[in-house]
Amino acid sequence: MENIIVYQILVLFLFVDASSDANPDTCTGLSYEWLGVTTETDFPVDAGVVVTVGCSDTDYINRGSSKVTCILETGFTFSDKPTCVKQGSKEEKPSSVSQISVYSYHVANLAIDGDFTTKSSTLAGWDSPLWYKMHFDNKHCFSEIVIVQSDYINPLNGRRMDDAKIFVVDNSAESICGILEIKEEWTIRGQTYRIPCNMKCGNEVKVTLLHERGKHGVLAAIHMREIMAYSHGLFIRTKFPAFSICKMQSYSDLIMSYKSLVLYV
């Protein structure tokens, strides 16, 4: 009897050991949190393999590591997180965020926490305007707003953000950047939207949404894994006297306002 038990244990050990050799740790693709990052490497690759990454859009540059090392599945080691941004742009962190209402525990701050497993969400409804706001201490001239829509698994819920409008607000004056049109690509990358703002300046970014009954097929709700605001240029505090604002659209513009100077490069 003891010999049989020892034999069974030995067979089990050999089976597990063989399975480990046959199925080494591999990476199946890049992290879904690396927005706009791509590679020419074919997956899967074994753990320890170094993968070269870049940006899928030629107008963007990678501000992080260009080489990452496979650990397991979509996990990699790197010195700096690969991050694709428009050339000359940088992410501006808001001083605070707010939204018109809260569904469950999905508060506004969860859309700026850098964690793609959390989300913000307003209550859903018909015929009632919804909003989400990012507040900044200083005025910025924004190149683009990036929104990761949270419901990328359920298409019905995902369409609740269709026709959301994105504005830059300068005091009370609103300038529209664009309208979010939901794509029929139900992955986290497919539900990532880059809304160009073309250097609209202000101290607030606002997302608004309204679904009228009969015009839209689903209720409206603003729900986001992340929202990120990018500015273009260098903001410098100066001691210049007051100037009238000269607002133009080229990257070499000089925009001057009271005690501030914005230089675009």
Side-chain angles (χ1 to χ4, degrees):
M1 183 68 177
E2 290 180 357
N3 290 337
I4 294 175
I5 294 174
V6 170
Y7 176 77
Q8 289 176 334
I9 292 173
L10 180 60
V11 170
L12 178 60
F13 174 79
L14 292 173
F15 175 77
V16 171
D17 186 63
S19 298
S20 299
D21 291 339
N23 299 290
D25 291 343
T26 61
C27 287
T28 55
L30 298 179
S31 170
Y32 60 79
E33 295 184 10
W34 299 351
L35 305 179
V37 176
T38 188
T39 181
E40 295 182 357
T41 300
D42 293 325
F43 289 97
V45 297
D46 292 341
V49 170
V50 176
V51 175
T52 300
V53 297
C55 298
S56 56
D57 194 315
T58 55
D59 291 336
Y60 289 74
I61 59 173
N62 180 11
R63 288 275 178 84
S65 300
S66 61
K67 294 186 182 297
V68 297
T69 303
C70 165
I71 302 175
L72 179 65
E73 296 180 350
T74 59
F76 293 81
T77 58
F78 45 83
S79 56
D80 295 296
K81 176 182 174 181
T83 305
C84 287
V85 298
K86 273 194 171 182
Q87 297 189 42
S89 293
K90 66 167 185 157
E91 184 178 358
E92 300 293 351
K93 295 292 187 181
S95 55
S96 63
V97 291
S98 58
Q99 59 187 22
I100 190 172
S101 60
V102 179
Y103 171 69
S104 186
Y105 57 88
H106 303 298
V107 297
N109 281 338
L110 294 179
I112 61 165
D113 62 356
D115 185 348
F116 282 67
T117 66
T118 64
K119 68 176 182 178
S120 69
S121 181
T122 66
L123 295 172
W126 298 107
D127 304 318
S128 180
L130 306 176
W131 55 261
Y132 180 102
K133 298 177 182 179
M134 305 174 77
H135 312 279
F136 300 86
D137 288 336
N138 298 312
K139 181 184 292 186
H140 301 283
C141 296
F142 294 97
S143 56
E144 68 175 356
I145 308 301
V146 178
I147 292 175
V148 182
Q149 190 273 122
S150 68
D151 249 308
Y152 53 87
I153 296 175
N154 186 331
L156 183 63
N157 289 344
R159 295 189 184 98
R160 288 180 174 180
M161 274 200 72
D162 197 32
D163 288 342
K165 296 179 180 179
I166 294 84
F167 297 88
V168 171
V169 183
D170 184 8
N171 295 321
S172 58
E174 298 181 350
S175 300
I176 190 167
C177 294
I179 299 175
L180 192 154
E181 298 179 358
I182 293 296
K183 299 176 291 187
E184 297 296 318
E185 185 181 343
W186 301 106
T187 64
I188 196 164
R189 287 177 182 269
Q191 291 304 308
T192 297
Y193 298 87
R194 296 184 180 272
I195 311 297
C197 283
N198 300 317
M199 308 313 299
K200 292 178 174 61
C201 304
N203 54 8
E204 179 181 289
V205 170
K206 182 168 72 171
V207 180
T208 67
L209 182 62
L210 173 66
H211 282 189
E212 298 179 68
R213 194 185 300 270
K215 288 187 177 181
H216 291 83
V218 295
L219 297 165
I222 299 176
H223 41 51
M224 300 177 289
R225 297 282 172 186
E226 290 292 309
I227 180 170
M228 294 158 278
Y230 291 89
S231 71
H232 204 307
L234 180 63
F235 187 89
I236 308 171
R237 284 289 181 190
T238 73
K239 294 182 179 179
F240 292 144
F243 288 86
S244 61
I245 293 178
C246 174
K247 187 174 181 181
M248 303 177 72
Q249 297 298 319
S250 72
Y251 290 110
S252 60
D253 288 345
L254 202 60
I255 298 180
M256 291 178 288
S257 60
Y258 180 67
K259 290 187 178 181
S260 64
L261 173 68
V262 180
L263 175 63
Y264 296 103
V265 292

